[in-house]
């Protein structure tokens, strides 16, 4: 009996897929006037619902940006971004990867050159929050290794670690105060700074990062061995205390545990 009826569900599935594809295309269509689906009574309700869902998701995923510019400005910008970049994943918490680059080319944001960078940290927070779990490297793990093993060691950033260096503005400070809905200090020095976001034990953490720390993590992400990563840090900031740098990064949970530990030559 199954062999006789199996082709029918397959044809229905194909037809359903075609309908869903046409429906989604009509929802994304900016003009909204072509195609039989768009001419159906009440279709605008579906389009408006989708648009509101996209705007609401962007608002939830970029709270620091929203607080900086205000809800009306933000929702107008989010609508423009949503029309150009509809979701491609059912997990709306991950929606909006393009929002920061969109703001960098959004004419009304031209007078706010720091805004795309604040958006980058909002995005990094979302990515770190949903990143895979992994053991965290402890300082004792490094201390226990003999020097030859350290020279051959390649450290790996933790999957939930996100770091950025910003040359021209105190982006982490702007982001963190607005993320917490607190007033930014009026005497804030307009100088470059870095940011490090981690999730070592299930709870999100963020803090300032030095140029050397960002350079070190960049080298680790590029799979460079420990001596090369140290040289990258010293090139960025020659006066860096490497032991203190490693202690800060391990305490923050920015590096994954060594698994398996390197063999001693």
């Amino acid at each position: 009996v199954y062999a006789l009826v199996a082709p029918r569900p397959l044809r229905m599935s194909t037809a359903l897929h075609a309908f869903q594809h046409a429906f989604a295309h009509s929802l994304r269509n900016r003009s909204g006037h072509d195609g039989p689906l768009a001419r159906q009574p009440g279709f605008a309700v579906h389009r408006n619902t989708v648009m509101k869902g996209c705007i609401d998701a962007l608002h939830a995923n970029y709270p620091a940006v929203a607080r900086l510019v205000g809800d009306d400005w933000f929702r107008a910008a989010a609508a423009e971004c949503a029309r150009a970049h509809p979701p491609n994943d059912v997990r709306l918490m991950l929606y909006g990867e393009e929002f920061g680059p969109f703001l960098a080319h959004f004419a009304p944001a031209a007078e706010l050159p720091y805004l795309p960078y604040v958006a980058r940290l909002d995005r990094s927070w979302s990515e770190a929050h949903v990143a895979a779990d992994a053991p965290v490297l402890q300082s004792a793990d490094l201390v226990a290794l003999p020097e030859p093993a350290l020279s051959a060691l390649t450290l790996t950033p933790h999957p939930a670690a996100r770091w950025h260096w910003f040359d021209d503005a105190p982006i982490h400070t702007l982001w963190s105060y607005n993320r917490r809905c607190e007033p930014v200090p009026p005497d804030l020095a307009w100088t470059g700074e870095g940011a490090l976001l981690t999730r070592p034990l299930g709870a999100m953490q963020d803090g300032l990062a030095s140029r050397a720390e960002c350079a070190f993590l960049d080298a680790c992400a590029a799979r460079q061995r420990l001596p090369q990563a140290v040289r990258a840090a010293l090139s960025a900031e020659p006066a860096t205390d490497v032991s203190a740098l490693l202690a800060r990064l391990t305490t923050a949970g920015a590096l994954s545990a060594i698994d398996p530990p390197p063999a001693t030559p």
Side-chain angles (χ1 to χ4, degrees), residues 22-23 26-27 29 31-44 47:
F23 192 85
S26 296
L27 287 174
N29 181 27
S31 66
H33 298 301
D34 60 336
L37 284 172
R39 293 192 292 271
Q40 294 296 316
F43 186 80
R47 179 178 288 111

Side-chain angles (χ1 to χ4, degrees), residues 141-155 216 220 223-231 242 246 258 261-265:
D141 299 332
L142 294 175
V143 173
L145 293 175
E147 186 173 344
L150 286 173
S151 298
L153 180 62
T154 299
L155 295 178
F216 183 89
C220 292
R223 304 300 298 155
Q224 295 182 19
R225 292 187 177 183
L226 181 58
Q228 286 73 40
V230 168
R231 282 199 289 270
V242 175
L246 287 169
I258 303 168
T264 303

Side-chain angles (χ1 to χ4, degrees), residues 8 30 109 146 153 160 162 183 186 193 201 204 241 249:
R8 186 176 179 184
R30 297 190 64 172
L153 180 62
R162 297 293 185 275
E193 63 184 26
L201 297 173
M204 287 293 301
D241 182 332
L249 293 181

Side-chain angles (χ1 to χ4, degrees), residues 2 30 34 42 63 68 81-82 94 112 166 171 173 185 193 215 221 229 237 247 249 253:
Y2 179 78
R30 297 190 64 172
D34 60 336
L68 275 167
C81 182
L94 297 179
L112 305 171
F166 303 100
I171 300 300
T173 301
E193 63 184 26
E237 289 185 315
L249 293 181

Side-chain angles (χ1 to χ4, degrees), residues 113-115 117-118 121 164-174 188-195 208:
Y114 53 84
L115 204 59
Y117 303 122
V118 174
L121 291 187
H164 303 281
W165 175 260
F166 303 100
D167 280 320
D168 302 322
I171 300 300
H172 176 266
T173 301
L174 287 173
L188 177 62
W190 205 258
T191 57
E193 63 184 26
L208 292 169

Side-chain angles (χ1 to χ4, degrees), residues 37-215:
L37 284 172
R39 293 192 292 271
Q40 294 296 316
F43 186 80
V45 173
H46 295 286
R47 179 178 288 111
N48 292 340
T49 299
V50 170
M51 177 58 69
K52 184 179 185 303
C54 291
I55 295 171
D56 288 347
L58 288 172
H59 194 280
N61 294 343
Y62 290 87
V65 175
R67 188 171 186 270
L68 275 167
V69 299
D71 283 350
D72 291 343
W73 193 102
F74 183 92
R75 296 185 76 83
E80 290 293 322
C81 182
R83 293 187 187 100
H85 304 285
N88 56 14
D89 193 305
V90 297
R91 298 167 295 177
L92 287 180
M93 185 174 185
L94 297 179
Y95 176 51
E97 181 180 5
E98 304 89 353
F99 192 54
F102 166 84
L103 289 174
H105 298 92
F106 187 49
E111 296 182 355
L112 305 171
Y114 53 84
L115 204 59
Y117 303 122
V118 174
R120 185 182 299 175
L121 291 187
D122 270 338
R123 176 67 187 181
S124 294
W125 193 98
S126 296
E127 292 175 350
H129 182 66
V130 301
D133 292 326
V136 175
L137 179 69
Q138 305 294 331
S139 296
D141 299 332
L142 294 175
V143 173
L145 293 175
E147 186 173 344
L150 286 173
S151 298
L153 180 62
T154 299
L155 295 178
T156 303
H158 193 277
R162 297 293 185 275
W163 62 94
H164 303 281
W165 175 260
F166 303 100
D167 280 320
D168 302 322
I171 300 300
H172 176 266
T173 301
L174 287 173
W175 172 80
S176 60
Y177 276 91
N178 281 282
R179 184 97 188 183
R180 299 194 302 266
C181 296
E182 297 176 1
V184 177
D187 57 348
L188 177 62
W190 205 258
T191 57
E193 63 184 26
L196 175 62
L197 286 74
T198 55
R199 200 201 66 224
L201 297 173
M204 287 293 301
Q205 298 181 13
D206 69 87
L208 292 169
S210 68
R211 190 192 297 267
E213 289 166 349
C214 292

